[in-house]
Amino acid sequence: MKKSPMRVELYYWPTIQGRGEFVRLLLEEAGADYVDVARAKGGVAAMMRFLEGEEPGALPFAPPFVKGGDAVVSQTANSLAHLAPKFGLVPDAEALRAEASQIQLTIADFVGEIHDTHHPIAGGLYYEDQKREAKRRAQDFVQERMPKYLGWLEDLLARNEKSEGRWLVGRDLTYVDLSAFQVIEGLRYAFPNAMARIEPKIPRLVALRDRVAQRPRIATYLTSERRLPFNQQGIFRRYPELDAPAPRRVARGARGRKGRR
Amino acid sequence: MKKSPMRVELYYWPTIQGRGEFVRLLLEEAGADYVDVARAKGGVAAMMRFLEGEEPGALPFAPPFVKGGDAVVSQTANSLAHLAPKFGLVPDAEALRAEASQIQLTIADFVGEIHDTHHPIAGGLYYEDQKREAKRRAQDFVQERMPKYLGWLEDLLARNEKSEGRWLVGRDLTYVDLSAFQVIEGLRYAFPNAMARIEPKIPRLVALRDRVAQRPRIATYLTSERRLPFNQQGIFRRYPELDAPAPRRVARGARGRKGRR
C-alpha cells in the first residue's frame, strides 16, 4: 500500500455522518493523517470561508470537500477519486479507476434518492412540512428503487471474478467497498423492515459489509468517538412511517390468529 | 488539440437529449469519430444487452454509457472525464482535472434537481400523477435552487482569472463549458420566465453560452439532424405551471393601466 505523508483536511458538517462519512471511511481505512476541521473549535467558520469564496483554490458548491497541499477538491465522489490513489485504495489501471468511479457515482445517486425520501419537495423545508409527499416518495423508493440499486451492487459482486466476488472492483478492497458498507449501515438504520426483507436476496453484499466492518482500522473507528451515531439530521433517518411494513413473520402470526377465530 | 483515432460508441435513449446530450456535445466539439448506437436500427436492443449484463466489461446502472476499445464507461460525468483527455478537452494538470470534475458533478446534481421538478415522487409515474407535488417542488427550485446553482457558476467565471472569466476551468474551453451551455439552453426551454428574470444577473454565464454556441463544430451540430429538439420526454420539459410568473414587463403594464383609471 502506498502511503502519503500529506496531511488531509476534511471539511464537513460536524454533527452528522452525511456525505462526509464516505470520505471519513476512506481516511480511516488508509490510516491517513487527517483532521476533521469543522469538529474542532472555530472549524465551522473556517469551512464557511471556503464556501463564501474567501479562500483561494476551487470554489466548492457544498461540503464535503478536502484540502491536501494547495488543492481544494469537492463533491464526494471526486474527493474520493482524488484521495484513493494516494493511499492505494483504488487500482492503477485506468479502466478499473473508471469502473470504481461509475460505481461511486451510482452510489451517490442512490444516496441522493435516500435523502429525498424525507425531503421530496425542498431541502430547506422541515420534514414535517413535506410529510405527505415523503410518504409517497418513500413507498416508491422502498418498492422500486432500493431493490434496483441493491440488486445492481449484488450483480457487480457476482460478476467480479477477479476477487471471486469479494470486492466490487478488481482483486482487493477499494474505496467503493467502504461506501457500499456505509450504504448498508445507513439503510439498516433508516429502513429496518425493508432491509430485513431484502437482505436474504443480496448475500454477497451483506458479506461485503461484514468484511469491511472487520477491517482492523474500520473496526477501531466504528467504536471510537470519531464515528458519529446516525441521527435525525443526516441523510439516513429513521421515520417508521417511511419504512416498509414489518416483516412477514409478524404478519403471518396475525393471519394465524385470525384463522383461529 | 490531441486527436484520438479511437471510434467511440455512445449508448443513450434515441428520442431525447437527456443526459446523453452532455456526451454528444463533447464528441461533436472534438470532431470525434462516434456512433450514437441506439439511434440506428437494432441499437436499442444492443444497448439493452449491456444493461442486462449480457456484454463483458463494467455493468452500467443506466444510460448514457460509452464504449471505446474494450472499456465500458457509464455515469455521465465519468464518461466525460474519461473522454475529455483523449480529445484535449480538459487540461493535463491533476488539480484542474479535479476542478473540472467537481463542476461537472455539481452540474449533474443541478440536472437531477431539474428532472425532479416534474418528477418529485417517482420516475416511474407519469407527470400527471405527481402534478401537485411537482408544482410545490418547482416553486422552491425556481426561487431557491436555480439562482443558487447559476450564481455559483457565475462566481466560478468571475474567479477564473486564467481565462479572464471566459471559461470555467483553466485558460481554454473544456467539456465543462459545453455542459454549462446545455444547462442554459435547457433552462431557457423549460423555465423561460424564470430565466428572463435571472439572466441579467449572470452575464458571464450567458456570454459563455454564446461563446460555445458560436464554436464552428457546435454551430454545425445545433442545426443538424443529430441535435434532437427539446421535448416533453426529456429532462428539460416546458410545463408553464412549473415556471415562474411572467416577467415584470407585463406586470408593470398591468399596474400602469390600473393607475390610469
Side-chain angles (χ1 to χ4, degrees):
Chain A
M1 187 182 283
K2 283 174 283 181
K3 221 24 176 342
S4 164
M6 177 185 68
R7 186 176 215 206
V8 178
E9 295 173 4
L10 165 65
Y11 293 82
Y12 193 64
W13 305 114
T15 59
I16 58 170
Q17 291 187 15
R19 289 181 172 85
E21 195 66 14
F22 298 99
V23 186
R24 290 187 188 115
L25 285 166
L26 181 152
L27 294 168
E28 291 286 343
E29 171 63 24
D33 177 17
Y34 83 99
V35 53
D36 200 339
V37 177
R39 289 174 75 180
K41 202 180 165 190
V44 171
M47 180 170 85
M48 295 314 292
R49 281 199 295 278
F50 282 90
L51 295 169
E52 285 158 9
E54 290 163 18
E55 296 281 352
L59 179 70
F61 183 76
F65 54 92
V66 294
K67 187 164 182 271
D70 286 339
V72 180
V73 180
S74 68
Q75 278 281 354
T76 311
N78 190 41
S79 303
L80 295 170
H82 174 75
L83 291 172
K86 304 185 196 319
F87 297 107
L89 286 171
V90 70
D92 286 333
E94 188 197 350
L96 291 177
R97 288 201 182 173
E99 191 171 338
S101 174
Q102 84 175 49
I103 300 170
Q104 190 64 44
L105 288 170
T106 306
I107 289 175
D109 287 345
F110 192 13
V111 167
E113 293 190 30
I114 291 163
H115 170 272
D116 282 5
T117 58
H118 49 79
H119 278 76
I121 300 300
L125 292 175
Y126 290 111
Y127 168 62
E128 287 69 24
D129 295 327
Q130 48 198 311
K131 211 168 160 176
R132 189 175 56 187
E133 294 94 338
K135 204 165 174 183
R136 241 190 125 193
R137 178 149 186 160
Q139 192 174 16
D140 179 82
F141 174 78
V142 161
Q143 290 175 1
E144 304 291 337
R145 303 300 288 172
M146 187 171 139
K148 184 169 176 176
Y149 278 108
L150 292 174
W152 179 76
L153 289 168
E154 180 77 8
D155 285 348
L156 293 185
L157 288 169
R159 279 167 74 95
N160 188 13
E161 291 168 4
K162 281 183 198 134
S163 74
E164 293 173 352
R166 290 167 54 83
W167 308 113
L168 285 161
V169 180
R171 296 179 193 283
D172 297 306
L173 172 131
T174 67
Y175 68 95
V176 176
D177 299 305
L178 304 174
S179 294
F181 160 84
Q182 175 65 7
V183 167
I184 297 295
E185 290 297 279
L187 289 172
R188 283 182 176 178
Y189 173 78
F191 298 97
N193 292 345
M195 278 301 277
R197 283 170 188 233
I198 209 168
E199 286 200 20
K201 297 174 195 162
I202 52 168
R204 290 178 186 87
L205 195 53
V206 172
L208 170 70
R209 180 254 160 234
D210 294 344
R211 212 170 286 128
V212 170
Q214 286 157 16
R215 306 277 295 184
R217 286 171 175 162
I218 296 295
T220 301
Y221 169 62
L222 294 176
T223 56
S224 75
E225 289 191 352
R226 298 191 302 285
R227 172 78 165 181
L228 294 159
F230 285 108
N231 61 39
Q232 298 297 77
Q233 282 78 51
I235 287 166
F236 297 99
R237 304 190 190 182
R238 182 174 288 172
Y239 294 120
E241 64 272 23
L242 302 186
D243 194 5
R248 280 196 189 149
R249 188 167 43 80
V250 177
R252 215 180 279 139
R255 274 205 305 277
R257 280 195 298 280
K258 205 175 172 185
R260 277 201 300 275
R261 279 197 226 165
Chain B
M1 187 181 279
K2 283 174 282 182
K3 223 22 180 339
S4 165
M6 175 186 67
R7 186 176 216 206
V8 179
E9 294 173 5
L10 164 65
Y11 293 83
Y12 193 63
W13 305 112
T15 59
I16 58 170
Q17 290 187 15
R19 288 182 173 84
E21 195 65 16
F22 298 100
V23 186
R24 290 188 187 114
L25 285 167
L26 181 152
L27 294 167
E28 291 286 342
E29 171 62 27
D33 177 18
Y34 82 99
V35 53
D36 200 340
V37 176
R39 290 173 74 180
K41 201 178 166 191
V44 171
M47 180 170 85
M48 295 314 292
R49 282 198 296 276
F50 282 90
L51 295 170
E52 285 158 9
E54 290 163 18
E55 296 282 352
L59 179 69
F61 183 76
F65 54 93
V66 295
K67 187 163 183 271
D70 286 338
V72 180
V73 180
S74 68
Q75 279 280 355
T76 311
N78 191 41
S79 302
L80 295 171
H82 173 75
L83 292 172
K86 304 184 194 322
F87 297 107
L89 286 171
V90 70
D92 286 332
E94 189 198 350
L96 291 177
R97 287 201 181 172
E99 192 172 337
S101 174
Q102 84 175 49
I103 300 170
Q104 190 64 45
L105 287 169
T106 306
I107 288 175
D109 287 345
F110 192 12
V111 167
E113 293 190 31
I114 290 163
H115 170 270
D116 282 4
T117 58
H118 49 76
H119 278 76
I121 300 301
L125 292 176
Y126 290 109
Y127 167 63
E128 286 68 23
D129 295 326
Q130 48 197 311
K131 211 169 161 176
R132 189 176 54 185
E133 294 93 339
K135 205 165 173 183
R136 241 192 124 193
R137 178 149 186 160
Q139 192 174 14
D140 180 81
F141 174 78
V142 161
Q143 289 175 2
E144 304 290 337
R145 304 299 289 172
M146 187 171 139
K148 183 168 177 175
Y149 279 109
L150 292 174
W152 178 77
L153 290 168
E154 180 76 8
D155 286 348
L156 293 185
L157 288 169
R159 279 168 74 95
N160 188 12
E161 291 167 3
K162 282 183 196 134
S163 75
E164 296 174 350
R166 289 166 54 85
W167 307 113
L168 285 161
V169 179
R171 297 179 192 283
D172 296 307
L173 173 132
T174 68
Y175 68 96
V176 177
D177 298 305
L178 304 173
S179 294
F181 160 84
Q182 175 65 7
V183 167
I184 297 294
E185 290 297 280
L187 289 172
R188 283 183 176 177
Y189 173 77
F191 298 97
N193 292 345
M195 278 301 276
R197 285 171 187 230
I198 209 169
E199 287 200 21
K201 297 174 194 162
I202 51 166
R204 289 179 187 85
L205 195 53
V206 172
L208 169 71
R209 179 253 159 236
D210 294 345
R211 213 170 284 129
V212 170
Q214 286 157 16
R215 307 277 295 185
R217 285 171 175 160
I218 296 295
T220 301
Y221 169 61
L222 293 177
T223 56
S224 75
E225 288 192 353
R226 298 192 301 285
R227 172 79 165 182
L228 294 159
F230 286 108
N231 61 38
Q232 299 297 76
Q233 283 79 51
I235 288 167
F236 298 99
R237 304 189 190 182
R238 182 174 289 173
Y239 294 121
E241 62 273 23
L242 302 186
D243 194 5
R248 282 194 189 151
R249 189 166 45 79
V250 177
R252 215 181 280 140
R255 274 205 304 279
R257 280 196 299 279
K258 204 175 173 184
R260 277 202 299 279
R261 279 196 229 165

